Amino acid sequence: MPSYKNHPLKIYNSLSGEKETFTPIHEGNIGMYVCGPTVYSNVHLGNVRTFMSFDVIYRYLIHIGYKVRYVRNITDAGHLTDDGDVENDRFVKQSKLEKLEPMEIVQKYSVDFHKVLDAFNFLPPTIEPTATGHIIEQIELTQKLISLGFAYESNGSVYFDVLAYNEKGLNYGELSNRNIDELFANTRDLDGQSEKKNPQDFALWKSASPAHIMRWNSPWGDGFPGWHLECTAMSTKYLGETFDIHGGGMDLKFPHHECEIAQGKACNGTAPVNYWMHTNMLTMNGLRMSKSTGNYILPMELLTGNNTFFEKQFEPNIVRFCFLQAHYRSVLDISNDAMVASEKGCNRLLESHKLIASLKASTTSTLDIASWRQSCYDAMDDDFNSPILIAQLFEGARFINLVNDGKETLTADDIQLLETTISSFLFDVLGINNEASSSGVALISEKLKGTVEMLIQMRNTARANKDFAMSDQIRDQLIALGIQLKDGKDGTSFSVQ
């Protein structure tokens, strides 16, 4: 079994802008907090990329012997797009749009979130707390910040006083490298923000309007928590006033994580986190993913093939493999060509792994398996460099083929070491699912594929003969079975729903 004592980790700390040697607060134990989803809509692929990165980090830390308490929250209240207008609460807006109660919205999209992550073979976090489950803690933190002079009440709302924070020798903007004077100079007052002392002040608690459904009683009247406070409340409750790792997408660096640092320092007089980690963006076909431009796809649309961007459906293993071929701090671009190449690469590794069982042992080894194994660990010890690890796994696949072809030899012990290393990194660390039937999505078998293609030919014949009743019947019965036909200029294709 590997030991963390033999694997000195280097982690890129967003706060310092440098790779740093990782030293946990408590030897052998790690506290890690990752900002989870805001469950007002379907989880998007960018979220999946972020959570997958931390899933691999979690897996590797466990693999090298750490005991990890992994906390990933669910934001189910108080996510304001603008502190000055309670109508910009995302849950309120989506509730009106779908004509559902806000907690129906929360339930609907929480289920979707877990369904998607299960499909991609994620390990569950140790604790998955919700904002609504920690209202009391958020009220207590707000009261403490007021008593310490870092917050003030205004018309039933409470705001964090950024200027007062900096006047006490602290540094709002340290994570995102923003200068407080420039922040104030470049910010104008917005309508609805007159109750703030300063435009940069952010909401800890917002007064609820009479029509606002999500509301709780507080010392300042009925209201709801601001977005930033929940993470401070939950991370400190489960991980302590200072913990090891805090992660999230780079889009959260400012203002969300900046506000968390300010809240933590103001409340407890100490930095809340030792290592800040941020994942980079996900793009598609070289462009930013955006609903407004149409360059957008949901995770399940990618897995089922029900989209216009990819030539077919791709198994979760393939998507996962594609994502992990880019370092978590690099921009990741997905495309049809990238996915097809990932399918070939992932299948090559899986086939090579199966071939190990048939390798014949020799009395000597002509390949240095121990050194190769160390290179796999070196990759992950260097800021969790999954693309370098994957390159090393392909090197291991090359070893397997050389031995199988009789061009190199390995002892029985080295064959076992090769198998154990590939299994550990491919399945346990990278999270590739080794069970073909447990991908989480109903993927079509080769025999069923042939049957559907035969029915498509029958439908095409019926259409050519203008027997549209038969054509429609074939299409409708396939839809009832969860098989969607898609007619195009190159013929008819299908996908499993």
Side-chain angles (χ1 to χ4, degrees):
M1 288 291 292
S3 169
Y4 62 85
K5 294 181 179 179
N6 299 324
H7 296 282
L9 285 172
K10 291 278 189 179
I11 294 179
Y12 182 87
N13 191 343
S14 298
L15 189 60
S16 67
E18 297 178 352
K19 285 184 187 178
E20 299 177 5
T21 300
F22 176 70
T23 304
I25 297 170
H26 304 288
E27 184 176 346
N29 294 270
I30 293 175
M32 182 170 75
Y33 187 94
V34 172
C35 289
T38 302
V39 285
Y40 70 96
S41 65
N42 297 106
V43 61
H44 59 75
L45 273 176
N47 293 142
V48 171
R49 194 262 171 115
T50 291
F51 300 136
M52 187 180 295
S53 296
F54 287 102
D55 181 61
V56 170
I57 289 167
Y58 179 41
R59 287 170 174 271
Y60 185 66
L61 294 174
I62 293 171
H63 174 71
I64 59 176
Y66 280 108
K67 182 179 180 181
V68 184
R69 176 175 284 187
Y70 175 20
V71 182
R72 187 186 66 212
N73 72 301
I74 286 182
T75 297
D76 58 352
H79 195 140
L80 295 172
T81 56
D82 174 6
D83 279 346
D85 185 359
V86 295
E87 295 307 312
N88 281 329
D89 184 318
R90 288 180 171 178
F91 296 97
V92 172
K93 294 175 85 170
Q94 196 66 23
S95 175
K96 291 178 179 178
L97 186 65
E98 297 194 35
K99 294 182 172 57
L100 295 171
E101 290 285 334
M103 291 313 290
E104 287 183 288
I105 294 294
V106 166
Q107 178 66 8
K108 175 181 177 179
Y109 293 113
S110 293
V111 169
D112 170 74
F113 173 68
H114 290 117
K115 178 182 177 182
V116 169
L117 265 57
D118 286 346
F120 284 108
N121 197 32
F122 280 56
L123 295 179
T126 316
I127 302 172
E128 193 172 50
T130 64
T132 56
H134 295 77
I135 298 295
I136 292 174
E137 289 86 350
Q138 293 176 78
I139 290 174
E140 289 174 346
L141 277 176
T142 302
Q143 289 175 310
K144 185 174 181 181
L145 287 167
I146 291 174
S147 68
L148 292 170
F150 290 104
Y152 57 91
E153 186 271 339
S154 178
N155 297 328
S157 296
V158 181
Y159 295 95
F160 188 93
D161 193 331
V162 171
L163 193 58
Y165 178 79
N166 271 55
E167 286 175 346
K168 294 185 180 183
L170 299 167
N171 181 19
Y172 183 79
E174 61 182 298
L175 179 65
S176 54
N177 293 317
R178 282 169 164 81
N179 180 281
I180 189 67
D181 294 328
E182 292 177 0
L183 282 174
F184 277 88
N186 295 330
T187 304
R188 60 183 177 87
D189 286 318
L190 300 174
D191 291 340
Q193 290 191 334
S194 58
E195 64 185 25
K196 293 184 181 183
K197 288 182 179 179
N198 310 295
Q200 291 296 336
D201 295 348
F202 56 89
L204 300 172
W205 186 265
K206 285 295 293 183
S207 175
S209 67
H212 203 282
I213 301 172
M214 300 184 82
R215 58 200 298 139
W216 291 266
N217 187 31
S218 80
W220 316 283
D222 283 0
F224 56 96
W227 171 33
H228 312 302
L229 192 62
E230 65 175 281
C231 287
T232 297
M234 290 185 277
S235 63
T236 54
K237 177 170 182 174
Y238 298 112
L239 300 175
E241 293 180 356
T242 300
F243 54 95
D244 298 297
I245 297 171
H246 193 315
M250 64 181 300
D251 57 311
L252 297 180
K253 189 181 292 187
F254 186 89
H256 186 52
H257 290 164
E258 200 73 73
C259 294
E260 281 191 62
I261 291 176
Q263 290 165 167
K265 283 190 172 182
C267 264
N268 304 313
T270 184
V273 179
N274 286 344
Y275 303 87
W276 285 91
M277 301 180 68
H278 293 94
T279 59
N280 213 320
M281 292 176 57
L282 175 71
T283 59
M284 185 165 66
N285 296 319
L287 301 172
R288 181 179 178 183
M289 290 187 66
S290 170
K291 287 183 179 179
S292 62
T293 63
N295 193 55
Y296 186 81
I297 184 174
L298 290 172
M300 298 308 285
E301 291 173 339
L302 177 55
L303 298 184
T304 61
N306 187 23
N307 66 84
T308 58
F309 296 102
F310 297 88
E311 66 184 44
K312 62 177 184 176
Q313 62 190 48
F314 289 95
E315 294 186 22
N317 267 351
I318 307 307
V319 180
R320 189 172 180 110
F321 190 76
C322 180
F323 280 19
L324 297 176
Q325 287 185 94
H327 190 265
Y328 76 88
R329 288 193 289 112
S330 300
V331 174
L332 167 65
D333 185 65
I334 59 170
S335 64
N336 188 74
D337 289 346
M339 210 63 68
V340 170
S342 294
E343 184 173 51
K344 293 177 181 177
C346 186
N347 289 338
R348 177 185 161 197
L349 286 180
L350 290 171
E351 289 303 316
S352 295
H353 175 259
K354 291 178 184 177
L355 192 59
I356 297 176
S358 62
L359 296 182
K360 295 181 179 179
S362 300
T363 56
T364 59
S365 292
T366 56
L367 297 168
D368 189 348
I369 300 301
S371 178
W372 164 80
R373 178 178 183 269
Q374 183 58 46
S375 68
C376 293
Y377 282 103
D378 289 344
M380 290 301 286
D381 289 342
D382 183 16
D383 197 29
F384 310 101
N385 201 321
S386 60
I388 298 300
L389 169 62
I390 289 172
Q392 291 299 333
L393 293 179
F394 278 122
E395 180 72 356
R398 188 177 72 87
F399 289 170
I400 293 167
N401 291 325
L402 287 171
V403 174
N404 186 61
D405 293 342
K407 296 176 181 178
E408 302 284 357
T409 62
L410 291 176
T411 64
D413 286 345
D414 275 346
I415 290 174
Q416 182 59 50
L417 186 61
L418 180 63
E419 195 284 328
T420 300
T421 303
I422 290 181
S423 293
S424 295
F425 281 104
L426 191 59
F427 306 131
D428 298 341
V429 174
L430 294 182
I432 300 300
N433 198 328
N434 195 27
E435 299 176 23
S437 63
S438 61
S439 65
V441 177
L443 297 174
I444 204 157
S445 68
E446 286 301 313
K447 289 183 179 179
L448 184 55
K449 180 180 177 183
T451 303
V452 174
E453 288 176 345
M454 179 183 69
L455 289 169
I456 289 174
Q457 290 177 1
M458 291 173 62
R459 177 172 174 262
N460 289 340
T461 300
R463 294 170 76 185
N465 294 331
K466 297 187 178 180
D467 187 355
F468 299 115
M470 176 60 69
S471 170
D472 291 346
Q473 182 180 359
I474 293 172
R475 180 200 62 201
D476 294 343
Q477 288 185 353
L478 285 173
I479 289 174
L481 293 170
I483 298 172
Q484 179 76 44
L485 298 184
K486 189 185 299 181
D487 295 317
K489 62 180 181 179
D490 297 324
T492 301
S493 60
F494 64 90
S495 60
V496 182
Q497 304 300 302

